[in-house]
Amino acid sequence: MTPSEAESAAERRIQEWVSAHRADIAEYLLELVELETPTENPETFDNFFDRLADDFHELGLETERVPGEETGGRLEAWSAGRDDADEIQLVIGHADTVWPLGTVDENPPERRDGILEGPGSLDMKGGLTQAVFALRALDAASLEPSLPVHILVSSDEEIGSPESKPRIIDLAKQANRVFVLEPASGPEGKIKIARKAVGHFTVTIEGKAAHAGLEPEEGASATEELGTVIHQLHELTDIESGITVNVGQVEAGLRSNVVAPEARAEVDVRAPTDETAAAVTEQIHSLEATTPGTELTIDGGFGRPPMEQTPGNRLLWDRVQTIGQRLGLSLEGTRSGGASDGNDASQHAPTIDGFGAVGDGAHQTYEHVQLDALVDRVALLAACVHDEPLPTDPQQ
């Protein structure tokens, strides 16, 4: 049997096992959804991480629960016997959801017409289900990952990963490749092969108060200046180049009959590359007040770097597409305007994102996972983890 034939035979065994366990996959996802884990309730992660840790232990992985300072901490699981110097393949997921505690009681998850609907099902307990069953599939087929697997499940991704980010970066530096189990893009299930950088800026304007009826000429309106600044900021949006600027929150003034002495705006900025991020940052910080008597201060910058199509990322995507073809899957890639832990991991290792569940309605009341597609994505992850390591030099 040639290496190619052996690989195809292994992938068939994976697919056969996964297809036979479709009902188990759906039931497992339902159980995870029922275990609520809102980001703002750190205490809820104890039972959830204990459940995952037990499942990883059954597969022979070692685990560690790392408590958080202000979050629910994280769970890590890795191939037993791995030396710290070993190259790894990193699988990243998050357990936290945007849904308030009690949402499951108000909106119980349910299965119907080939989907499982429920809060947190798509973002991203479907991806965590995928990780567990991909490893179960390899174990059942007597197949080994080609590199030691290290899994990190955080509890703070929905708020920008303030506590888990340093550990993700450390692990990515050891990784041959990184799989981020965020939801795929849209009901078509497109995989995220690029993500934009994300910036946050705060605009503060100081003016001078005065009675709006008796002596308006003695005042300097921060609100007037804010209107000018908002217009200037939105003019920086360039859809063709992928730059978007959005003034999402504003505060201004004291009351209607007082010339506003202060104003404030919170600004979201997205850019596809480091170069465009640097350029729009310079443009924003170069803004100056034009309303007489007002002063303008701008703080902030980009907190998430872009996930660009580097040679390593393109090579990993080519591998994934090839494996998908062998599994009978036609995979499409897309750029996402949102950010994830993949933005940070991709700075240090070939990374693919949106590798998790397929569905629709993330962060919305109709959030759901397509169960047939989840079965396919379990097989895809298992086959990719089994596939040979990427070469050190992507040009090879």
Side-chain angles (χ1 to χ4, degrees):
M1 183 181 294
T2 67
S4 178
E5 290 172 337
E7 193 68 35
S8 296
E11 290 165 356
R12 282 196 299 274
R13 297 208 303 276
I14 290 171
Q15 278 189 305
E16 289 169 0
W17 186 91
V18 173
S19 296
H21 288 80
R22 182 186 188 278
D24 296 329
I25 293 171
E27 181 62 27
Y28 189 90
L29 172 57
L30 177 64
E31 292 172 2
L32 292 191
V33 172
E34 290 175 336
L35 290 171
E36 292 185 293
T37 47
T39 310
E40 63 271 17
N41 294 95
E43 73 281 358
T44 62
F45 291 88
D46 292 337
N47 291 337
F48 190 88
F49 282 150
D50 285 347
R51 166 68 189 271
L52 281 183
D54 288 344
D55 294 330
F56 289 137
H57 273 302
E58 289 180 4
L59 290 161
L61 274 64
E62 299 180 30
T63 66
E64 180 183 12
R65 170 72 190 281
V66 181
E69 295 181 7
E70 297 182 3
T71 74
R74 65 179 185 270
L75 175 69
E76 295 187 35
W78 60 91
S79 300
R82 178 175 75 82
D83 187 273
D84 287 341
D86 289 343
E87 189 176 46
I88 63 172
Q89 48 187 332
L90 177 60
V91 178
I92 299 175
H94 69 85
D96 58 319
T97 75
V98 300
W99 298 99
L101 199 61
T103 302
V104 164
D105 291 333
E106 298 172 1
N107 183 24
E110 60 175 318
R111 281 175 285 181
R112 66 174 189 280
D113 301 327
I115 68 170
L116 190 149
E117 182 176 291
S121 56
L122 181 63
D123 191 14
M124 60 162 289
K125 291 178 178 177
L128 300 181
T129 299
Q130 184 181 340
V132 171
F133 275 85
L135 294 179
R136 286 181 178 177
L138 290 179
D139 183 65
S142 300
L143 298 169
E144 293 289 334
S146 64
L147 287 166
V149 175
H150 196 114
I151 301 170
L152 184 146
V153 184
S154 70
S155 65
D156 61 350
E157 194 277 339
E158 295 291 359
I159 55 172
S161 308
E163 292 186 2
S164 59
K165 183 186 295 188
R167 180 58 173 163
I168 289 169
I169 291 172
D170 286 343
L171 290 170
K173 291 177 180 178
Q174 305 172 42
N176 177 269
R177 58 195 176 204
V178 181
F179 301 102
V180 183
L181 301 183
E182 286 285 337
S185 181
E188 305 85 5
K190 294 181 180 179
I191 289 174
K192 298 166 185 175
I193 58 175
R195 283 186 179 272
K196 292 183 180 182
V198 179
H200 179 264
F201 296 80
T202 300
V203 177
T204 305
I205 302 168
E206 296 293 335
K208 182 182 177 183
H211 194 291
L214 298 179
E215 47 183 9
E217 70 281 358
E218 295 297 321
S221 175
T223 301
E224 180 182 351
E225 178 60 25
L226 177 61
T228 300
V229 171
I230 290 174
H231 181 71
Q232 291 174 320
L233 286 169
H234 278 278
E235 281 194 327
L236 297 178
T237 291
D238 184 346
I239 298 300
E240 288 189 8
S241 68
I243 296 171
T244 60
V245 180
N246 180 64
V247 180
Q249 290 181 298
V250 296
E251 297 177 1
L254 301 175
R255 54 193 301 171
S256 63
N257 64 346
V258 178
V259 175
E262 60 184 12
R264 180 185 178 94
E266 302 295 335
V267 188
D268 178 275
V269 185
R270 311 284 168 128
T273 65
D274 282 325
E275 291 76 13
T276 54
V280 73
T281 297
E282 182 178 355
Q283 289 176 303
I284 291 172
H285 280 289
S286 68
L287 295 176
E288 297 181 353
T290 59
T291 302
T294 62
E295 295 183 1
L296 178 64
T297 303
I298 298 176
D299 299 302
F302 278 81
R304 291 272 201 187
M307 175 181 160
E308 300 188 58
Q309 290 185 293
T310 63
N313 286 358
R314 288 195 295 269
L315 175 60
L316 179 56
W317 173 228
D318 287 344
R319 282 280 190 92
V320 169
Q321 283 185 298
T322 299
I323 293 169
Q325 288 171 355
R326 292 201 298 261
L327 295 172
L329 306 176
S330 179
L331 302 174
E332 294 184 55
T334 188
R335 180 192 297 275
S336 172
S340 81
D341 293 323
N343 290 57
D344 297 301
S346 68
Q347 309 304 304
H348 307 283
T351 300
I352 199 154
D353 205 336
F355 210 61
V358 180
D360 201 6
H363 299 193
Q364 301 181 69
T365 55
Y366 60 92
E367 180 175 358
H368 66 267
V369 169
Q370 298 175 18
L371 294 175
D372 285 343
L374 182 59
V375 170
D376 290 338
R377 291 297 162 96
V378 169
L380 179 63
L381 178 60
C384 287
V385 168
H386 176 66
D387 189 51
E388 64 181 358
L390 299 178
T392 303
D393 181 0
Q395 301 304 324
Q396 297 176 11

